[in-house]
Amino acid sequence: MLSKAVLSLLLLTVTSVQAIWPIPETIETGDSTLWIGESLSVTYNGDKVCWFSASEHPCPLDDTMDTNIGLPTWQLPWTRNYVPFGGPKFTGKEIVKGGVSRALKNILDDNFVPWKLYPRLALEKTEPSLRKPKAYVSCLEITQTGKDTAKTFKPLAGDVDESYNLTLGTNGKATISAVSSTGVLRGLETFSQLFFQHSQGPIYTTLAPVKISDAPQYDHRGLLLDVSRNYLPLENIYRTIDALSWNKLNRLHIHATDSQSWPLEIPALPDLHQKGAYAQGMTYSPKDVAAIHTYAIQRGVEVIIEIDTPGHFGIVALSYPDLITGWGATPWSTYCAEPPCGQIQLNNPKTDAFFDKLMDDLLPRVAPYSAYFHTGGDEVNFNEYNLDPTVGTNDSAVIVPLLQKFIDKHHARVRKAGLVPMVWEEIPASYNVTIGDDVVVQSWLGDAAIKSLTGQGHKVITSNYNYWYLDCGRGQWLNIAEGESFEENWPFNDWCGPTKSWRLVYSYDPRAGLTDEEAELVLGGEVGAWAETIDEVNLDSILWPRSSAAGEVLWSGRTDAAGENRTQFDAAPRLAEFRERMLARGVRADPVQMTFCTQGGNATTCSL
Ligand SMILES: *[C@@H]1O[C@H](CO)[C@@H](O)[C@H](O)[C@H]1NC(C)=O
Ligand SMILES: *[C@@H]1O[C@H](CO)[C@@H](O)[C@H](O)[C@H]1NC(C)=O
Ligand SMILES: *[C@@H]1O[C@H](CO)[C@@H](O)[C@H](O)[C@H]1NC(C)=O
Ligand SMILES: *[C@@H]1O[C@H](CO)[C@@H](O)[C@H](O)[C@H]1NC(C)=O
Ligand SMILES: *[C@@H]1O[C@H](CO)[C@@H](O)[C@H](O)[C@H]1NC(C)=O
């Protein structure tokens, strides 16, 4: 580790660019300059990967491409924007080709001039000279040492080896080797982050030679997007998937429905969205959902759909009023966590038939693309069952057995479709419902909850709201009457403030306080973006770069190889740099520090 420390110290004095978020397991860099351009030759297991946009380098259409004739030219396979079509049958070759194409677009077209990372007005003096003879990166050799399987493209935690090695020699030869095509994608992302744009236009790195060996600490590295509180147009979901992949995050959990709206089209039950969407067109069709899955898989991201139930289900009252209890019940705080209230009737014989129909429609469309289905289960309010004609009490002695039956049947549907159920932690932890060993439990209530869940042997992902709820600290969204209530609620904080800054997100250790045995059961985590105050206008700045901070915790670990906590001094300059990269690629991430700090030469310039 000494050589690494010496190297990074050397870097600070030579240049301010740091490169690579999240930080690789091991990285050695030098200070030689290499340029990169259109002449780069890329191979994958010895075959040339065609990506050039220039017409003087025509690429043959290979046999897998026949079906894609007629695409807009910018999507043709040799262009930098290539989006492979296809699915549910995926091949590593197509996925790597798409990855190469995007990495080179990010390097050559969507790069940035790092003036914010050099001292004030010093860019021209610090960036490499254009007058000296230029050495180029001439080739990138990609080797995949293992074979992809169907599981590679819809993995359970642990199914995919995402590790990779990367080298870039001063002779201009680059290599990436990985076991899976997903690992190749991770390596390509790292490769793209080595490069910067010169103020006169060309693209360079000053970090050669480079030697990186890298692998993730956690298998489940995700983000929860809530598309029910506010509808998110598709392009926002695509853009978010791109950003996830740059951060080496690999799960997108879509909280698809809630009591506020039902945007998910279920052809077998069309009233659900026809009566439950916010407006005509604010829905996701089966084709949209398949496209989201496909887009994500091509970027090494698995989408997990959640239909939350039995709570957070009120909206179904608009289409199937007989199935819902307590729709819009008041005062809402007696019956649910936020308006409008409404839960599924727990003991209504029609409930089963409804879920059979719903799941028979949806799950076969999910199963080709994902290993998981999230069944929800948070914040079930027992008082709603006082109003439920099929239950008629809030007594847990009555409700819990009904809940157990409901969950057993529901999880059986998920398993029958070949998927693994996920639940929110209340199902086992608050309602004492017994669940299968296969079920992955999503915890949000904090460290003690994770300790207790893993102590009972549950597989867990963490979304600890004290650290990883990105919607917190934005102020109250409920209206408060003048008078006593006004005084009580002033200054109108929300329930989970303060804001979870990137520093707070970064300080969270998903395995804190656990025994080795318990820690093994923490598969990873998800940051949460509940959408009461989030829509497409502020989505990017809510998510980024704070999700990047969680991305580094999940990929690299809260602690380094020596077991020391990673520090803000190491993280802040890299994150500030990565934020510029995300901006250049079209994601409007928030600033990490003011320019005075990023131009300060080292991270101690702005410290407390
Ligand atoms: C990466 O390098 C390490 C150390 O040299 C080696 O053990 C590992 O097998 C390599 N992985 C791949 C995918 O080439
Ligand atoms: C259960 O319902 C009764 C009204 O029927 C209410 O008085 C009581 O507070 C409720 N229990 C809880 C735990 O909310
Ligand atoms: C679940 O079990 C715990 C511990 O035995 C108990 O405190 C709690 O009241 C139970 N919850 C329900 C809903 O029965
Ligand atoms: C490391 O970080 C954890 C929180 O993730 C904190 O509890 C602990 O005190 C820190 N250790 C040191 C030595 O600062
Ligand atoms: C960082 O900059 C300060 C002056 O602003 C200097 O005293 C310190 O030695 C520098 N640290 C490193 C690691 O270069």
Side-chain angles (χ1 to χ4, degrees), residues 269-580:
L269 298 164
D271 281 359
L272 282 172
H273 78 272
Q274 281 169 11
K275 298 185 175 165
Y278 274 131
Q280 299 283 346
M282 290 208 177
T283 60
Y284 305 104
S285 69
K287 208 170 139 226
D288 294 338
V289 174
I292 291 168
H293 277 295
T294 304
Y295 192 93
I297 288 168
Q298 284 156 350
R299 286 153 181 77
V301 176
E302 180 172 40
V303 173
I304 298 167
I305 308 273
E306 175 188 2
I307 292 194
D308 201 349
T309 191
H312 292 278
F313 207 65
I315 194 66
V316 173
L318 298 185
S319 42
Y320 297 91
D322 294 352
L323 294 179
I324 299 300
T325 177
W327 167 239
T330 55
W332 63 262
S333 55
T334 302
Y335 296 102
C336 61
E338 72 182 34
C341 299
Q343 291 178 187
I344 192 82
Q345 292 189 0
L346 217 44
N347 203 19
N348 183 337
K350 287 189 198 150
T351 293
D352 270 343
F354 171 82
F355 274 108
D356 284 345
K357 202 162 183 185
L358 174 55
M359 294 296 122
D360 279 350
D361 181 316
L362 179 61
L363 296 184
R365 293 189 279 108
V366 169
Y369 303 103
S370 188
Y372 297 102
F373 183 78
H374 201 306
T375 56
D378 58 323
E379 297 181 320
V380 182
N381 189 309
F382 284 14
N383 285 330
E384 284 279 69
Y385 296 121
N386 276 334
L387 311 175
D388 182 343
T390 72
V391 182
T393 175
N394 61 1
D395 181 356
S396 60
V398 175
I399 293 169
V400 167
L402 292 172
L403 203 51
Q404 179 75 56
K405 227 164 84 186
F406 175 81
I407 294 292
D408 285 347
K409 281 188 182 159
H410 202 41
H411 286 187
R413 292 182 189 102
V414 174
R415 292 189 188 101
K416 198 181 111 205
L419 294 153
V420 168
M422 295 179 69
V423 288
W424 288 104
E425 70 178 289
E426 287 97 316
I427 290 294
S430 310
Y431 317 136
N432 304 334
V433 166
T434 305
I435 52 175
D437 289 341
D438 55 337
V439 178
V440 176
V441 179
Q442 184 162 16
S443 175
W444 61 286
L445 292 167
D447 290 341
I450 294 163
K451 178 118 186 120
S452 139
L453 287 163
T454 53
Q456 290 160 36
H458 292 298
K459 290 196 266 287
V460 170
I461 61 167
T462 174
S463 296
N464 187 336
Y465 78 93
N466 292 304
Y467 295 87
W468 281 12
Y469 268 21
L470 302 179
D471 50 302
C472 295
R474 300 174 44 70
Q476 186 53 268
W477 54 270
L478 291 158
N479 300 328
I480 314 283
E482 294 292 314
E484 206 179 306
S485 181
F486 188 97
E487 303 302 332
E488 258 171 37
N489 284 287
W490 194 89
F492 315 116
N493 292 325
D494 57 27
W495 68 278
C496 57
T499 311
K500 314 312 173 196
S501 68
W502 77 262
R503 295 176 200 281
L504 187 59
V505 172
Y506 196 69
S507 74
Y508 179 53
D509 184 350
R511 292 175 179 146
L514 302 183
T515 65
D516 288 351
E517 210 177 14
E518 290 161 354
E520 275 288 301
L521 290 167
V522 179
L523 306 179
E526 294 178 357
V527 284
W530 301 104
E532 285 89 348
T533 63
I534 302 174
D535 69 8
E536 71 266 39
V537 173
N538 60 355
L539 178 69
D540 286 6
S541 67
I542 295 277
L543 297 186
W544 314 107
R546 292 186 298 156
S547 304
S548 309
E552 181 152 299
V553 170
L554 289 167
W555 178 275
S556 317
R558 165 72 181 121
T559 54
D560 63 18
E564 303 287 339
N565 282 346
R566 296 184 191 282
T567 74
Q568 295 173 18
F569 289 85
D570 174 65
R574 277 185 305 109
L575 189 58
E577 178 180 311
F578 186 54
R579 181 265 179 166
E580 298 305 310

Side-chain angles (χ1 to χ4, degrees), residues 32-92:
S32 294
T33 298
L34 287 173
W35 302 80
I36 190 168
E38 301 241 330
S39 60
L40 178 75
S41 147
V42 184
T43 60
Y44 172 54
N45 291 340
D47 294 342
K48 194 167 158 61
V49 178
C50 223
W51 64 274
F52 299 96
S53 57
S55 53
E56 60 268 31
H57 303 288
C59 294
L61 280 175
D62 64 35
D63 43 0
T64 57
M65 281 301 107
D66 288 349
T67 49
N68 289 342
I69 308 298
L71 290 177
T73 49
W74 59 271
Q75 280 184 351
L76 286 171
W78 53 86
T79 64
R80 292 174 191 158
N81 303 49
Y82 173 50
V83 181
F85 276 59
K89 207 166 163 353
F90 298 91
T91 70

Side-chain angles (χ1 to χ4, degrees), residues 136-198:
Y136 275 86
V137 184
S138 56
C139 64
L140 168 60
E141 264 179 37
I142 301 169
T143 311
Q144 187 179 328
T145 59
K147 279 223 175 331
D148 293 330
T149 67
K151 279 185 182 174
T152 310
F153 309 115
K154 48 168 198 167
L156 288 174
D159 277 348
V160 185
D161 183 334
E162 294 181 80
S163 69
Y164 67 91
N165 293 331
L166 184 156
T167 65
L168 173 59
T170 47
N171 62 358
K173 189 177 158 191
T175 66
I176 291 174
S177 71
V179 176
S180 67
S181 60
T182 317
V184 173
L185 293 181
R186 307 297 174 234
L188 284 165
E189 175 53 39
T190 297
F191 182 69
S192 75
Q193 291 184 20
L194 294 170
F195 297 94
F196 300 86
Q197 182 159 27
H198 192 280

